[in-house]
Each structure stands twice: as structure tokens, then as C-alpha cells.
Amino acid sequence: MSDKVAIVTNATSDIGWAISKQLMAKKVRVIGTGDDEAALGDASQHYELFDGQVVDPIAEDAVENFVKQATDKYGEIDYSFQIAVPYQAGLIIDEQLTDWNFMIDLALNGVFLFIKNVGRQMKKQGSGQIVNIASMDAHVQSYCSEDYAAIKSAINIFTKSAALELAAANVQVNSILPGIVDSYPAIDEHSLDQAETLSVKRPARPEEIAGPAIFLTSEAASYINGTTLVVDGGWEITGYPDVRM
Amino acid sequence: MSKEIAIVTGGASGIGLAISKELMNKDIQVVAADINEDALNEAKKANELFDGKRVDVTNESDVKEFVDYVVQKYGKIDYSFQVAGASKSGLIIDQPLADWNFTINLVLNGVFLFIKYVGKQMKKQNGGKLVNISSLNGDVPSYYAGAYSSAKAAVNMLTKNAALELADYHVNVNAILPGLVDTRLTKAITDNEELDRRFKERIPAKRPATPEEIAKPAVFLASEGASYITGTTLVVDGGWEITGYPDVRM
Ligand SMILES: NC(=O)c1ccc[n+]([C@@H]2O[C@H](COP(=O)([O-])OP(=O)(O)OC[C@H]3O[C@@H](n4cnc5c(N)ncnc54)[C@H](O)[C@@H]3O)[C@@H](O)[C@H]2O)c1
């Protein structure tokens, strides 16, 4: 059995769960976090390799304690996948500051706190692989998703900063930029219409995002660091941002 | 299940040879197109899954004949890796037009011709995967590489354009952008102690990639696991791009 250990945030979200399942299939132990206590408990009960718990991603103490406890319990953290899921649609001129702040907190600050604490531990180990799930919106803006796009580009550049800082400690940090995934929080009839504009004419299955994410942590990706891999079925190249909701 | 067939241009040396080996390890038949006949013969002797022909990738009739040969002999093309490349370097204000033309012709036109003829076949098959070996220089300029960087940037855009056109036929087209790789092509750098030190200093990984470290991501992009990846570029550079390296002078 592999004695590798992975942290997966939002582990019971669709992409998070697809990553968790693929890791467990490779005999990697998954320590999953999230806010859905029932789902996390259920997964822990059914999967021997899954250890789930509720962690508030924006409470510094909670994240620090979580990483400390995980390290005490399992020895080291080999991989960490940060999956931030919130999405809200709206126009800039109508958006409330509180909504904007909510998004920045959950999606961006959460990633910072996890990388800060996991990065510290990996630096100590002298090894580790970190993957952030950002979004293709980091490259192309679209109507009604300005906070989402801004946050995802911030995560994108933050990924590169973390890679630069941690490279000397033999830690790799990369990100995946998914297009539409068929579990997407914002998926509805309209987004399915949008899928018509994708080169491949269908949203991704969560497994199609999980596979590339796990590839980035594999031995085959040993020279990949500080970069982003777009997994969008050719959406970016169609210049989709002029689709309005 | 019938054997899968892969074309690898520049398959007799460096990154192309590493891709060929990676494919043969997966029991895939490789047909290499390379200008170096001696190296092709050597590779053929080493592995019976390696077939190869002398092809100049800049010569349209060579390319057409080669693709016809592969289809006739093996019936289909599942994968095609466009790897062949080299350049004549020099400062823009000093570069002879002939050197510029040599580089553009090999780096850009060589990829165009393969996508054109292999793409036609893959359209017929209603499926296939194309992977181009571009370069980090397609994203970032560097001294003495005006022609090479411009041609690689064009390869990146050609990759996206081909992905757009061929998506209807379930053909994925992507590119790998390697940083510094330890091959024949970079011997001028790695054999020069002072230059080698200055390059490595700037690369966060502190070493060039092995050809295998480029081959594996390239083969991943052609795999089932990458089914939703098309029209994009993957940088494989040991973190070099993020250091803003282009101000290294020789
Ligand atoms: N080595 C690096 O640091 C590096 C970095 C980025 C990108 N690349 C790219 O990787 C690719 C492979 O380079 P490599 O480092 O493996 O070099 P290499 O010299 O080892 O291999 C190149 C191969 O291409 C063949 N070739 C050259 N001209 C040809 C032609 N006209 N027709 C057919 N075949 C031809 C050569 O015979 C050789 O076998 C190139 O496209 C190069 O631009 C290399």
C-alpha cells in the first residue's frame, strides 16, 4: 500500500470528490475538508482511506491546527489540492461590497491559508506537490462573473508566487483552469446553452478535471512548476466572453 | 485490439526519441519522420516497434508521401507528435534573411505541413491527438532567438487554431512548451561552464529537464486522461518562466 497522504479541500464537491476517488484508487490517503459535515462523515464511513472533517478555510487557527493534526497523525503531507467552489453571478455596478468580500474571503484567502500552512510543512519535509483548481475565467473574463474572474486570476498568479518561493524546498505548485464542468455550481439551462459554444460541445465530467490535476502531482510531471493547465474542451480559444447571461 | 499508431517527427534524437520510447513502452507502434538517417537506423535496431523514414519536414511532397506511407502500411494514425526543430540564432539587427527563413521554415512550416496532412487523415477517422513541441520561447523572448521565438509563438497560435478547426472531428491539439532540456540542441549552453552556471542559476529547478521529463507530459496530453484538454499549451520548464529570465545575456 502506498503511504502517501493528500489534503483535498472541499473534498465532497464534485471536482473534490472526483480527485479524492482517483487518489484513493491509487491507495493515497485523503484528508478531506469542507463545510458539509454530513457528506464528509458519510465519506469517512464508507471509505477506509478517507478522513474528512469540517474546517473553516478562512479561520487561520482552524487551518493551522488542521494541518498540524494531519501531520501528527499521518507523518507527512505529500499532496495538497485546493478547490474553492463558490460562484455568484452579478454585474459590477450592482454588486454589494459584502458579497465581493465574501467571495474574496472564501475563494482566495482560503487558498492562501492552506498554502501557507501546507507549504510550511512541505518545506520542512523538503518535498511536496500542490495543485490549485482555479478557472479558465482567470484568462478570459465573462459577463456577470467579475469577482469570480478576478479571484481566479489572483489564484493563478498566487500559484506562481508560491512556486517561486517553494522551488528551493523541492515543492511544486501548479494550477488547473477548468472550463464548464457538469457539476458546476452555476450550471443551469443557460450554461448548457453556453456549452454549445464550446469546441467540444459538452461540459467536462468531474473526472476529466481530476485526472489532469493528479497528473500534475505525479512523477511524470517532475519538471512542471509554477504553471497553469487549461482543461476547458477548447472553450478559451472560441473567445466566448461575449456570451451574455 | 489493433495496435495504436503514432507519428513522431524528429523522432530519432532528443525529445522526439524520448517520446518514441515512452510510446513504445506502452506498446504503441512508432513511425518517425526525421532527416537524420543514421540515427533512424540506430533506433530501428534498438526496438522493433520503431519504424522510420527519412523526411524533411519542410518539404511538402516528403510530408505527404510519408503520411500516405503510414496510412497505407498501418491503416490509421492515432497520435502525431510534431517535434523536429532547430534554429539559426543571432541578434535581429545582424541576422541574415536566409537564417531567419531557415528557422521559420523548419519550426513553423514543418508543424503546419504535418497538421495539414495528418489532420486530413484524422478528420476522416473522426478522431486523433496532435501534440506539438513548441518552446517556452513561444511565450518569452530571449537574446539571439528572435526568429526561433517568433516561430514558436506562431506554433502556439497554430495549435489553438488547429484545435478550433478540428474539434468537430474529435481531434485534440495541444502544445508543450519546454524550458531548457538536456539534448544535442542545447550542448552549446551545457558544454560552456560559465553559461551553464548562469542558466541554471536562473531556473528554480536548478537543472535542465531530461528529455523524458518533456516526453511524459507530451504523452499525457495524448492520453485518455486528457480527454477534455484541447487548444492549450502546457509549460514544462522547472519554474523558469516565472522568474522573468529573458534578461540573461550570453
Ligand atoms: N532542447 C531544448 O532545450 C528545447 C527547449 C524547448 C524546445 N525544444 C524543441 O524541442 C524539439 C526537439 O529538440 P531536441 O532538443 O530534442 O533536439 P534534437 O536535435 O536532439 O532533435 C531534433 C530532431 O529533429 C530532426 N530534424 C531537424 N531538422 C529536420 C528536418 N528538416 N526534417 C526532419 N527532421 C529534422 C533532427 O534530425 C533531430 O533528430 C525542437 O522543436 C526544439 O525546438 C527544445
Side-chain angles (χ1 to χ4, degrees), chain B residues 9 57-61 63-64 67 80-84 103-120 130-133 151 154-159 161-162 165-166 173:
Chain B
T9 78
V57 298
T58 66
N59 180 316
E60 179 154 18
S61 56
V63 176
K64 186 174 179 319
V67 173
S80 186
F81 295 84
Q82 285 59 243
V83 192
T103 307
I104 302 287
N105 201 17
L106 177 50
V107 172
L108 177 57
N109 300 0
V111 174
F112 159 65
L113 288 174
F114 266 84
I115 296 186
K116 173 177 171 179
Y117 287 101
V118 174
K120 232 177 236 189
L130 296 166
V131 178
N132 301 323
I133 301 299
V155 167
N156 293 354
M157 187 47 86
L158 179 63
T159 301
N161 218 100
E165 283 183 25
L166 294 169
V173 192

Side-chain angles (χ1 to χ4, degrees), chain A residues 198 202 204 208 222-223 225 233, chain B residues 207 209 213 227-228 232 237-239:
Chain A
L198 271 66
R202 62 172 180 85
E208 290 178 304
S222 51
Y223 205 66
N225 198 10
Chain B
R207 61 176 180 86
E213 287 178 306
S227 52
Y228 206 66
T232 197
D237 70 345

Side-chain angles (χ1 to χ4, degrees), chain A residues 36-113:
Chain A
D36 187 341
E37 193 165 4
L40 286 164
D42 201 44
S44 305
Q45 211 170 18
H46 286 94
Y47 292 84
E48 205 197 318
L49 282 171
F50 191 87
D51 180 354
Q53 57 181 288
V54 172
V55 176
D56 180 356
I58 52 173
E60 177 142 31
D61 288 356
V63 178
E64 193 180 334
N65 279 334
F66 165 74
V67 173
K68 205 174 274 162
Q69 279 168 15
T71 313
D72 286 348
K73 192 162 168 190
Y74 297 111
E76 60 178 57
I77 311 294
D78 299 287
Y79 317 116
S80 188
F81 297 85
Q82 281 65 237
I83 303 145
V85 283
Y87 177 86
Q88 59 188 14
L91 293 169
I92 297 170
I93 56 171
D94 296 331
E95 181 155 6
Q96 302 293 323
L97 181 62
T98 47
D99 287 345
W100 170 271
N101 284 338
F102 167 81
M103 284 287 286
I104 302 272
D105 238 4
L106 215 54
L108 180 57
N109 299 350
V111 170
F112 160 65
L113 286 179

Side-chain angles (χ1 to χ4, degrees), chain A residues 1-244:
Chain A
M1 195 180 101
S2 133
D3 48 6
K4 299 279 190 198
V5 178
I7 287 176
V8 179
T9 74
N10 270 309
T12 57
S13 67
D14 294 275
I15 293 175
W17 186 238
I19 289 176
S20 300
K21 275 206 301 208
Q22 287 188 24
L23 287 169
M24 291 190 285
K26 292 181 194 297
K27 304 279 181 244
V28 174
R29 173 166 295 280
V30 174
I31 317 171
T33 73
D35 60 2
D36 187 341
E37 193 165 4
L40 286 164
D42 201 44
S44 305
Q45 211 170 18
H46 286 94
Y47 292 84
E48 205 197 318
L49 282 171
F50 191 87
D51 180 354
Q53 57 181 288
V54 172
V55 176
D56 180 356
I58 52 173
E60 177 142 31
D61 288 356
V63 178
E64 193 180 334
N65 279 334
F66 165 74
V67 173
K68 205 174 274 162
Q69 279 168 15
T71 313
D72 286 348
K73 192 162 168 190
Y74 297 111
E76 60 178 57
I77 311 294
D78 299 287
Y79 317 116
S80 188
F81 297 85
Q82 281 65 237
I83 303 145
V85 283
Y87 177 86
Q88 59 188 14
L91 293 169
I92 297 170
I93 56 171
D94 296 331
E95 181 155 6
Q96 302 293 323
L97 181 62
T98 47
D99 287 345
W100 170 271
N101 284 338
F102 167 81
M103 284 287 286
I104 302 272
D105 238 4
L106 215 54
L108 180 57
N109 299 350
V111 170
F112 160 65
L113 286 179
F114 267 90
I115 293 197
K116 172 179 172 176
N117 287 283
V118 170
R120 236 181 223 177
Q121 170 59 25
M122 287 181 172
K123 184 174 176 185
K124 219 184 286 172
Q125 295 166 191
S127 69
Q129 272 94 23
I130 296 174
V131 175
N132 297 318
I133 306 294
S135 163
M136 185 196 52
D137 290 59
H139 282 177
V140 261
Q141 66 294 345
S142 60
Y143 282 97
C144 287
S145 72
E146 77 297 334
D147 46 12
Y148 190 73
I151 288 163
K152 294 301 188 176
S153 5
I155 291 177
N156 213 18
I157 202 78
F158 181 67
T159 299
K160 292 168 198 255
S161 302
L164 204 55
E165 187 177 314
L166 294 168
N170 197 28
V171 174
Q172 288 157 267
V173 193
N174 293 294
S175 61
I176 295 276
L177 275 49
I180 281 199
V181 183
D182 66 9
S183 63
Y184 206 59
I187 205 110
D188 52 22
E189 255 170 58
H190 173 75
S191 354
L192 289 175
D193 281 353
Q194 275 195 331
E196 277 297 298
T197 70
L198 271 66
S199 302
V200 303
K201 309 273 184 261
R202 62 172 180 85
R205 287 173 278 112
E207 304 79 59
E208 290 178 304
I209 306 301
I214 290 174
F215 163 76
L216 288 179
T217 66
S218 73
E219 190 46 43
S222 51
Y223 205 66
I224 303 181
N225 198 10
T227 198
T228 54
L229 175 56
V230 175
V231 186
D232 71 345
W235 201 12
E236 183 179 25
I237 56 174
T238 64
Y240 81 97
D242 57 341
V243 176
R244 295 179 192 230

Side-chain angles (χ1 to χ4, degrees), chain B residues 13 15 34-35 55-57 83 134 148 152 179 181 183-184 186:
Chain B
S13 168
I15 296 169
D34 202 298
I35 206 162
V55 170
D56 177 351
V57 298
V83 192
S134 179
Y148 183 73
K152 290 296 192 183
V181 190
T183 70
R184 213 174 59 149
T186 49

